[in-house]
Amino acid sequence: MSSYVNNLVEKVGKYSKDKAQKFRERMEELIQSGKYEELPAVAKEVDEFIAEYKLNVQDLNRRVRELKGLLVEATKIGYDIREYAKELKEVLSNIKDIREAIKKVGDIEEKIRKSIEKLEPRLLFSLDIKGKVDNRYQAKINVRNEGDVDAFNVKLVVNGELKTEKPVEINVVKKGNEEIIDVFLLPGKGEEIEIKGEYERFDGKKYRSAERVKIELKKKGFHVEKNKSKIKCSFCRGTILPGMDIVICDNCGAVYHLPCARRAGKCVKCGTLFNFE
Ligand SMILES: [Zn+2]
Ligand SMILES: [Zn+2]
């Protein structure tokens, strides 16, 4: 009879020492009080316990696999998962009750999903006019991502006093990074310039942000004088003779031939726009 009990206890012991000890106590009690006919029912319970335990192990393994997949995804979007990876390791290294371990793994997964849901890209824009060629303004749009995650499929539109011909597209602006885009802008309407951006998060969720800027396009930026002495043109490096018309930058005092200043469209020394209209 004792080998019968030992076999069953050994079977359970592979999965749970606690449970094995409890089965042993119950069966020894039954044997002591002579209730042998109740032993097969306990043996059946042992089998059921083991079957359920195996299912739970499968369930736990599946959840751990899913959680690890989620951790990999989270890492790809630049999310710091170290805290959660540590939590998972602790749960797995100390499993007393498998159902409880399954619940804990589920809790970690939910925590990660909730905090990922809160991550957002956030783009800020600024605009710098670099010069004017014919009717078009050369500009640089600076796009900075101050959000928690990368911004994808970015579409920019400039409207107002200056406008884009068609939306400017950028594949990705990484978090913490900035992209500088060269664009040509056309004269539009109004006194202000608005830069609007539409972009997506890693999961395709859409975001928008906009920035209004005021740029003094009407400012002339230079004045014209009659040249008095022999000097050099800042654009062509050629000599300007006394008596010729010269363009002088209002900001830095750089000197140009009149046609050179027209061609440059701006001061090549300091970037001030020359508005000849
Ligand atoms: Zn010149
Ligand atoms: Zn200048």
Side-chain angles (χ1 to χ4, degrees):
M1 201 37 81
S2 77
S3 78
Y4 178 80
V5 171
N6 282 341
N7 279 341
L8 286 177
V9 167
E10 204 181 306
K11 258 168 92 176
V12 177
K14 281 185 206 153
Y15 304 100
S16 166
K17 297 269 177 265
D18 277 6
K19 203 75 185 173
Q21 185 54 31
K22 278 182 187 134
F23 275 122
R24 177 186 289 284
E25 283 163 14
R26 271 179 62 197
M27 288 188 285
E28 279 171 353
E29 240 181 78
L30 291 175
I31 290 165
Q32 266 170 20
S33 50
K35 295 178 182 166
Y36 299 107
E37 73 283 3
E38 288 183 28
L39 283 174
V42 178
K44 201 178 156 219
E45 252 184 75
V46 165
D47 286 340
E48 280 166 3
F49 167 78
I50 291 170
E52 195 196 326
Y53 192 93
K54 283 179 174 168
L55 281 179
N56 283 337
V57 168
Q58 276 175 17
D59 193 15
L60 178 63
N61 285 340
R62 183 178 53 79
R63 277 161 190 268
V64 169
R65 254 197 327 272
E66 278 172 13
L67 180 55
K68 283 181 175 169
L70 180 62
L71 290 174
V72 170
E73 290 305 309
T75 308
K76 277 188 199 155
I77 60 171
Y79 186 55
D80 186 354
I81 54 129
R82 279 175 295 182
E83 186 195 322
Y84 300 109
K86 207 176 121 199
E87 245 182 89
L88 175 63
K89 211 175 149 193
E90 269 165 29
V91 170
L92 296 181
S93 67
N94 185 24
I95 300 177
K96 285 209 184 76
D97 178 339
I98 195 152
R99 296 300 320 167
E100 199 184 302
I102 290 170
K103 191 187 169 295
K104 280 182 181 166
V105 170
D107 288 348
I108 296 173
E109 183 175 337
E110 196 176 321
K111 262 195 282 181
I112 296 173
R113 289 202 188 281
K114 273 191 181 153
S115 29
I116 284 179
E117 183 49 38
K118 285 188 202 140
L119 301 177
E120 294 184 344
R122 191 164 66 95
L123 297 187
L124 301 179
F125 313 108
S126 61
L127 182 70
D128 204 5
I129 307 292
K130 290 293 174 192
K132 197 181 176 196
V133 177
D134 300 326
N135 202 27
R136 303 196 302 171
Y137 289 85
Q138 287 173 303
K140 284 187 190 296
I141 302 179
N142 185 308
V143 185
R144 211 161 70 247
N145 186 350
E146 297 213 335
D148 322 295
V149 284
D150 299 347
F152 297 97
N153 300 325
V154 181
K155 284 196 184 69
L156 296 179
V157 175
V158 177
N159 251 314
E161 191 175 15
L162 292 179
K163 59 184 187 184
T164 37
E165 244 172 318
K166 56 180 189 343
V168 179
E169 294 180 12
I170 313 167
N171 287 338
V172 58
V173 182
K174 294 199 172 292
K175 77 162 174 173
N177 276 24
E178 68 177 20
E179 297 287 330
I180 296 165
I181 318 294
D182 288 303
V183 288
F184 276 109
L185 299 175
L186 301 172
K189 281 182 190 132
E191 308 257 283
E192 272 184 339
I193 300 169
E194 189 181 37
I195 310 159
K196 274 192 200 164
E198 268 183 33
Y199 40 98
E200 290 173 6
R201 195 170 71 164
F202 48 85
D203 58 356
K205 190 171 173 187
K206 289 187 165 45
Y207 294 84
R208 286 162 198 272
S209 54
E211 205 97 37
R212 281 171 183 278
V213 292
K214 234 179 141 64
I215 290 174
E216 282 194 68
L217 293 171
K218 302 285 184 287
K219 210 170 74 178
K220 228 171 135 193
F222 67 92
H223 57 281
V224 179
E225 280 179 16
K226 281 266 182 258
N227 189 22
K228 294 186 192 77
S229 57
K230 241 170 118 175
I231 44 173
K232 279 200 187 302
C233 170
S234 294
F235 186 71
C236 73
R237 299 270 136 216
T239 305
I240 311 176
L241 297 170
M244 290 176 92
D245 278 338
I246 49 168
V247 164
I248 300 170
C249 172
D250 283 340
N251 184 49
C252 74
V255 178
Y256 299 86
H257 288 110
L258 187 57
C260 286
R262 272 186 197 280
R263 261 172 59 201
K266 63 176 177 181
C267 176
V268 297
K269 299 264 175 182
C270 74
T272 297
L273 280 187
F274 292 161
N275 210 333
F276 280 93
E277 278 154 31

PDB file of all heavy atoms in Angstrom, residues 249-254 256 267-272 274, ligand 2:
ATOM      1  N   CYS A 249      23.979  96.518 -46.689  1.00  0.00           N
ATOM      2  CA  CYS A 249      23.099  95.731 -45.809  1.00  0.00           C
ATOM      3  C   CYS A 249      22.788  96.525 -44.543  1.00  0.00           C
ATOM      4  O   CYS A 249      23.700  97.006 -43.876  1.00  0.00           O
ATOM      5  CB  CYS A 249      23.776  94.406 -45.446  1.00  0.00           C
ATOM      6  SG  CYS A 249      22.866  93.483 -44.190  1.00  0.00           S
ATOM      7  N   ASP A 250      21.480  96.646 -44.224  1.00  0.00           N
ATOM      8  CA  ASP A 250      21.068  97.403 -43.035  1.00  0.00           C
ATOM      9  C   ASP A 250      21.532  96.729 -41.755  1.00  0.00           C
ATOM     10  O   ASP A 250      21.696  97.369 -40.725  1.00  0.00           O
ATOM     11  CB  ASP A 250      19.533  97.515 -42.986  1.00  0.00           C
ATOM     12  CG  ASP A 250      19.035  98.560 -43.975  1.00  0.00           C
ATOM     13  OD1 ASP A 250      19.851  99.415 -44.389  1.00  0.00           O
ATOM     14  OD2 ASP A 250      17.840  98.502 -44.335  1.00  0.00           O
ATOM     15  N   ASN A 251      21.716  95.429 -41.829  1.00  0.00           N
ATOM     16  CA  ASN A 251      22.032  94.690 -40.611  1.00  0.00           C
ATOM     17  C   ASN A 251      23.529  94.676 -40.308  1.00  0.00           C
ATOM     18  O   ASN A 251      23.937  94.941 -39.189  1.00  0.00           O
ATOM     19  CB  ASN A 251      21.497  93.264 -40.731  1.00  0.00           C
ATOM     20  CG  ASN A 251      21.716  92.471 -39.463  1.00  0.00           C
ATOM     21  OD1 ASN A 251      21.401  92.950 -38.374  1.00  0.00           O
ATOM     22  ND2 ASN A 251      22.276  91.286 -39.596  1.00  0.00           N
ATOM     23  N   CYS A 252      24.356  94.375 -41.344  1.00  0.00           N
ATOM     24  CA  CYS A 252      25.779  94.192 -41.044  1.00  0.00           C
ATOM     25  C   CYS A 252      26.692  95.149 -41.807  1.00  0.00           C
ATOM     26  O   CYS A 252      27.897  95.153 -41.575  1.00  0.00           O
ATOM     27  CB  CYS A 252      26.202  92.748 -41.310  1.00  0.00           C
ATOM     28  SG  CYS A 252      26.352  92.360 -43.059  1.00  0.00           S
ATOM     29  N   GLY A 253      26.117  95.938 -42.726  1.00  0.00           N
ATOM     30  CA  GLY A 253      26.930  96.925 -43.423  1.00  0.00           C
ATOM     31  C   GLY A 253      27.713  96.392 -44.615  1.00  0.00           C
ATOM     32  O   GLY A 253      28.514  97.110 -45.203  1.00  0.00           O
ATOM     33  N   ALA A 254      27.510  95.116 -44.983  1.00  0.00           N
ATOM     34  CA  ALA A 254      28.200  94.562 -46.154  1.00  0.00           C
ATOM     35  C   ALA A 254      27.795  95.348 -47.405  1.00  0.00           C
ATOM     36  O   ALA A 254      26.663  95.815 -47.508  1.00  0.00           O
ATOM     37  CB  ALA A 254      27.847  93.089 -46.326  1.00  0.00           C
ATOM     38  N   TYR A 256      27.564  95.854 -51.721  1.00  0.00           N
ATOM     39  CA  TYR A 256      27.366  95.084 -52.961  1.00  0.00           C
ATOM     40  C   TYR A 256      27.214  96.009 -54.155  1.00  0.00           C
ATOM     41  O   TYR A 256      26.722  97.131 -54.014  1.00  0.00           O
ATOM     42  CB  TYR A 256      26.081  94.251 -52.870  1.00  0.00           C
ATOM     43  CG  TYR A 256      26.073  93.241 -51.761  1.00  0.00           C
ATOM     44  CD1 TYR A 256      25.673  93.612 -50.480  1.00  0.00           C
ATOM     45  CD2 TYR A 256      26.444  91.920 -51.997  1.00  0.00           C
ATOM     46  CE1 TYR A 256      25.656  92.691 -49.451  1.00  0.00           C
ATOM     47  CE2 TYR A 256      26.427  90.990 -50.971  1.00  0.00           C
ATOM     48  CZ  TYR A 256      26.034  91.380 -49.700  1.00  0.00           C
ATOM     49  OH  TYR A 256      26.020  90.469 -48.695  1.00  0.00           O
ATOM     50  N   CYS A 267      21.704  89.256 -48.003  1.00  0.00           N
ATOM     51  CA  CYS A 267      23.091  89.534 -47.648  1.00  0.00           C
ATOM     52  C   CYS A 267      23.825  88.210 -47.466  1.00  0.00           C
ATOM     53  O   CYS A 267      23.406  87.378 -46.668  1.00  0.00           O
ATOM     54  CB  CYS A 267      23.154  90.360 -46.368  1.00  0.00           C
ATOM     55  SG  CYS A 267      24.842  90.632 -45.807  1.00  0.00           S
ATOM     56  N   VAL A 268      24.896  87.999 -48.222  1.00  0.00           N
ATOM     57  CA  VAL A 268      25.607  86.718 -48.115  1.00  0.00           C
ATOM     58  C   VAL A 268      26.420  86.643 -46.821  1.00  0.00           C
ATOM     59  O   VAL A 268      26.870  85.578 -46.428  1.00  0.00           O
ATOM     60  CB  VAL A 268      26.536  86.459 -49.333  1.00  0.00           C
ATOM     61  CG1 VAL A 268      25.722  86.350 -50.607  1.00  0.00           C
ATOM     62  CG2 VAL A 268      27.596  87.549 -49.458  1.00  0.00           C
ATOM     63  N   LYS A 269      26.588  87.777 -46.163  1.00  0.00           N
ATOM     64  CA  LYS A 269      27.348  87.785 -44.901  1.00  0.00           C
ATOM     65  C   LYS A 269      26.457  87.421 -43.714  1.00  0.00           C
ATOM     66  O   LYS A 269      26.853  86.660 -42.845  1.00  0.00           O
ATOM     67  CB  LYS A 269      27.949  89.180 -44.645  1.00  0.00           C
ATOM     68  CG  LYS A 269      28.916  89.629 -45.709  1.00  0.00           C
ATOM     69  CD  LYS A 269      30.352  89.340 -45.305  1.00  0.00           C
ATOM     70  CE  LYS A 269      31.266  89.713 -46.467  1.00  0.00           C
ATOM     71  NZ  LYS A 269      32.655  89.442 -46.227  1.00  0.00           N
ATOM     72  N   CYS A 270      25.245  88.009 -43.653  1.00  0.00           N
ATOM     73  CA  CYS A 270      24.435  87.815 -42.446  1.00  0.00           C
ATOM     74  C   CYS A 270      23.060  87.227 -42.728  1.00  0.00           C
ATOM     75  O   CYS A 270      22.317  86.920 -41.799  1.00  0.00           O
ATOM     76  CB  CYS A 270      24.284  89.132 -41.682  1.00  0.00           C
ATOM     77  SG  CYS A 270      23.150  90.279 -42.479  1.00  0.00           S
ATOM     78  N   GLY A 271      22.687  87.063 -44.008  1.00  0.00           N
ATOM     79  CA  GLY A 271      21.424  86.401 -44.323  1.00  0.00           C
ATOM     80  C   GLY A 271      20.216  87.320 -44.399  1.00  0.00           C
ATOM     81  O   GLY A 271      19.116  86.872 -44.713  1.00  0.00           O
ATOM     82  N   THR A 272      20.390  88.606 -44.113  1.00  0.00           N
ATOM     83  CA  THR A 272      19.250  89.535 -44.200  1.00  0.00           C
ATOM     84  C   THR A 272      18.693  89.558 -45.629  1.00  0.00           C
ATOM     85  O   THR A 272      19.446  89.612 -46.597  1.00  0.00           O
ATOM     86  CB  THR A 272      19.704  90.959 -43.797  1.00  0.00           C
ATOM     87  OG1 THR A 272      20.115  90.931 -42.437  1.00  0.00           O
ATOM     88  CG2 THR A 272      18.578  91.974 -43.970  1.00  0.00           C
ATOM     89  N   PHE A 274      17.055  90.905 -48.967  1.00  0.00           N
ATOM     90  CA  PHE A 274      16.990  92.169 -49.699  1.00  0.00           C
ATOM     91  C   PHE A 274      15.702  92.182 -50.500  1.00  0.00           C
ATOM     92  O   PHE A 274      15.495  91.358 -51.385  1.00  0.00           O
ATOM     93  CB  PHE A 274      18.197  92.312 -50.646  1.00  0.00           C
ATOM     94  CG  PHE A 274      19.510  92.473 -49.926  1.00  0.00           C
ATOM     95  CD1 PHE A 274      20.710  92.213 -50.588  1.00  0.00           C
ATOM     96  CD2 PHE A 274      19.564  92.900 -48.596  1.00  0.00           C
ATOM     97  CE1 PHE A 274      21.928  92.369 -49.940  1.00  0.00           C
ATOM     98  CE2 PHE A 274      20.786  93.055 -47.940  1.00  0.00           C
ATOM     99  CZ  PHE A 274      21.970  92.784 -48.617  1.00  0.00           C
TER     100      PHE A 274
HETATM  101 ZN    ZN B   2      24.345  91.755 -43.945  1.00  0.00          ZN
END
